[in-house]
Amino acid sequence: MPLLPETNNLGFDRENMVKMRNVCKTYVGGVVALDHFSLDVRRGEVLVIIGPSGAGKSTLLRCLNGLELIDSGSIVIDGIPLDKNEANQLAIRRKIGMVFQSFNLFPHLSVQENINLAQRLVQKKSPAQANTITRDLLHRVGVLDKAMRYPDELSGGQQQRVAIARALALYPKIMLFDEATSALDPEMIGEVLDVMRNLAAEGMTMLVVSHEMGFAREVSDRVVFMEQGRKVEEAASAKFFSQPRQARTREFLSQIL
Amino acid sequence: MIFWLSNSATALVSVKLRQLRFSLLHGAGNTALSMVFVSPRTISKAATLRDSILFLLSLVAMLWLVLRGAGQMDYSWHWQRVPGYLFTLEEGRFIAGPLLQGLGMTLAITSISMVVAGLIGLLTALLRLSASPVGRGLSRIYLEIIRNTPLLVQIFCFYFIMAPILDIGRMTTAVLALSLFEGAYASEIFRAGILSIHRGQWEACHSLGLTRWQGYRHVILPQAIRRIMPPLTSQAISLIKDSSLVSTIAVYELTMQGRAIIADTYLSFEIWAVVACIYLVLTVSLSILANTLKRRVHGAT
């Protein structure tokens, strides 16, 4: 059973889902997070972004769904430009699901209510419709038995799987994972990666910031290595790990592998 | 002498009130505060006993001082006349006396003011946190004016200036003045509560495509309000106590009724003691109610 409706599973349709051109982002205080950064992501592609901390990886994801405003350059998501127009911003956010390092579940709502909330408010679904989708998603990420529990009663791995289900409930076209496994105990990383792996297999367009090199090698189509807001190297994943071109990439890989 | 004695009597009551409030508000497992204050459980039994004895001793000493003072000035107690001012029974029918009528008025004024002050506080907090410079400026001006002038002066301004202009009655004036005053403080509590919610909650709201209002309504405020229940309760208690000030514009609430009775009867000691006790019962009940409510909602801490 696929996690997604079939419209997302168009393997032959390879147009750009994400188009970033010369994006610059400097934080207050002068830290340069993105320095003339350009990136294309095709439909159904799984892109893993790696790099040392402070490289601008998280900023890259946060700019894509408008959590951070860019200083210059342009971003187009699935044909919609990300600009000052609030309707465009909302439309883009509704196309993109995001999973955070710290889960960010709503602690005052049960697991089921967490996943129902946006379906009710954004998609105006009836409680019954929302419940059906929620329970289906919870079943697929393996935490259906926790539907009535509150987030603080769940393990980290379970919380992150609920967070993924919450993002999927709106049928996003792109999923962003911002160090989704970095806050987890080692034995829980696997269960979250499994969910991500299934999602990739079903053809979801994914941008993954991660330190999980095994996942990057096995699941991703392409790897981008960035540092100081710039792209150092970009290659198909097999090639990236077997024949890195840049000296800096080799140095980084030798340190973390 | 009378002044000193009545002061010491109210001081006694207010000390007791503060202790009760402290234990009610902070003693019952508020995690944030028990880290700052010594948790009741860590105090040894001997220390508890010693504290209790000291407390009782000081209570007895106070009582003795009051009684001795009263004895020296030949004050004759007339406690038997007090119940008549609370209520009378005529042919088995219960008739509220002036003090209970005053209590009713106090309850009416404070409960309406609490709701209005809450709304003003929430609105002001949202304006101060908004992106609009006009909204932020207006709320700032309101806060500075209210918090930097005495409540009594505000009540007089409303009564002598605003009330004739707007053509509103004493009761409305009282509610308006109290609501605007407490609302300013409530807004700072709301603002602190909203700001205390982790940034990630907002980010989750945005990433799910919720609008700003939906985020406030369904995610941020429900969490913030649970977190600010203790300070909001304190503010409500302040409101009850501050409501006694509207007696100055002849609103017949509890304090005004007490003053009227004393003007007729000179029963200063008995009536003020009873009035203080009624306020005490009100404020303590409110604390207990707030604590019960707090324990019943999930994720309150």
Side-chain angles (χ1 to χ4, degrees), chain A residues 77-93:
Chain A
I77 307 284
D78 199 22
I80 302 175
L82 179 59
D83 49 26
K84 293 245 156 64
N85 184 333
E86 279 190 33
N88 281 354
Q89 288 176 14
L90 270 183
I92 285 175
R93 278 178 184 161

Side-chain angles (χ1 to χ4, degrees), chain B residues 82-154:
Chain B
V82 171
Y85 294 109
L86 284 170
F87 61 90
T88 44
L89 290 172
E90 266 176 38
E91 298 159 4
R93 267 194 329 126
F94 178 92
I95 296 164
L99 285 180
L100 282 193
Q101 283 171 11
L103 173 62
M105 189 56 137
T106 294
L107 282 176
I109 291 175
T110 50
S111 49
I112 298 171
S113 302
M114 257 178 224
V115 175
V116 181
L119 291 175
I120 293 176
L122 182 57
L123 189 72
T124 312
L126 293 182
L127 276 180
R128 270 202 81 180
L129 295 170
S130 75
S132 145
V134 178
R136 286 204 305 264
L138 280 178
S139 54
R140 195 64 198 270
I141 291 169
Y142 158 66
L143 283 180
E144 295 303 333
I145 292 176
I146 297 291
R147 291 195 304 171
N148 292 303
T149 51
L151 173 56
L152 190 56
V153 174
Q154 288 171 26

Side-chain angles (χ1 to χ4, degrees), chain A residues 13-201:
Chain A
D13 189 356
R14 284 301 199 184
E15 89 265 29
N16 279 343
M17 285 296 275
V18 176
K19 206 173 194 175
M20 280 178 102
R21 286 291 175 274
N22 284 321
V23 171
C24 293
K25 170 71 186 175
T26 306
Y27 285 109
V28 182
V31 180
V32 179
L34 291 177
D35 186 4
H36 295 89
F37 196 92
S38 298
L39 183 71
D40 287 324
V41 184
R42 293 186 306 278
R43 187 185 294 274
E45 192 177 24
V46 177
L47 180 79
V48 168
I49 302 151
I50 63 171
S53 57
K57 310 183 294 287
S58 291
T59 306
L60 172 62
L61 296 191
R62 295 163 62 85
C63 285
L64 285 179
N65 75 345
L67 282 181
E68 302 284 354
L69 297 176
I70 59 175
D71 301 332
S72 63
S74 70
I75 296 177
V76 179
I77 307 284
D78 199 22
I80 302 175
L82 179 59
D83 49 26
K84 293 245 156 64
N85 184 333
E86 279 190 33
N88 281 354
Q89 288 176 14
L90 270 183
I92 285 175
R93 278 178 184 161
R94 287 167 191 187
K95 280 180 187 291
I96 300 181
M98 184 157 184
V99 178
F100 301 88
Q101 181 177 359
S102 51
F103 325 138
N104 295 346
L105 291 175
F106 306 132
H108 62 299
L109 300 178
S110 70
V111 163
Q112 183 163 326
E113 290 164 339
N114 259 280
I115 303 176
N116 280 354
L117 188 68
Q119 299 182 62
R120 300 290 315 282
L121 297 177
V122 177
Q123 299 178 323
K124 313 287 179 203
K125 288 200 169 120
S126 72
Q129 284 174 311
N131 274 336
T132 311
I133 291 168
T134 297
R135 299 189 72 80
D136 191 35
L137 283 167
L138 284 176
H139 173 65
R140 286 166 192 192
V141 299
V143 281
L144 183 57
D145 54 326
K146 308 287 184 198
M148 294 305 162
R149 297 299 183 91
Y150 284 86
D152 61 3
E153 298 170 311
L154 271 56
S155 74
Q158 290 167 338
Q159 287 189 52
Q160 193 61 297
R161 284 185 281 156
V162 170
I164 294 173
R166 183 176 70 175
L168 288 176
L170 297 178
Y171 294 134
K173 295 193 161 181
I174 305 170
M175 283 287 283
L176 309 178
F177 292 86
D178 188 5
E179 305 209 16
T181 55
S182 299
L184 296 176
D185 289 340
E187 70 262 35
M188 290 170 185
I189 291 175
E191 63 194 45
V192 173
L193 288 182
D194 282 343
V195 171
M196 290 166 66
R197 199 172 282 125
N198 290 340
L199 207 52

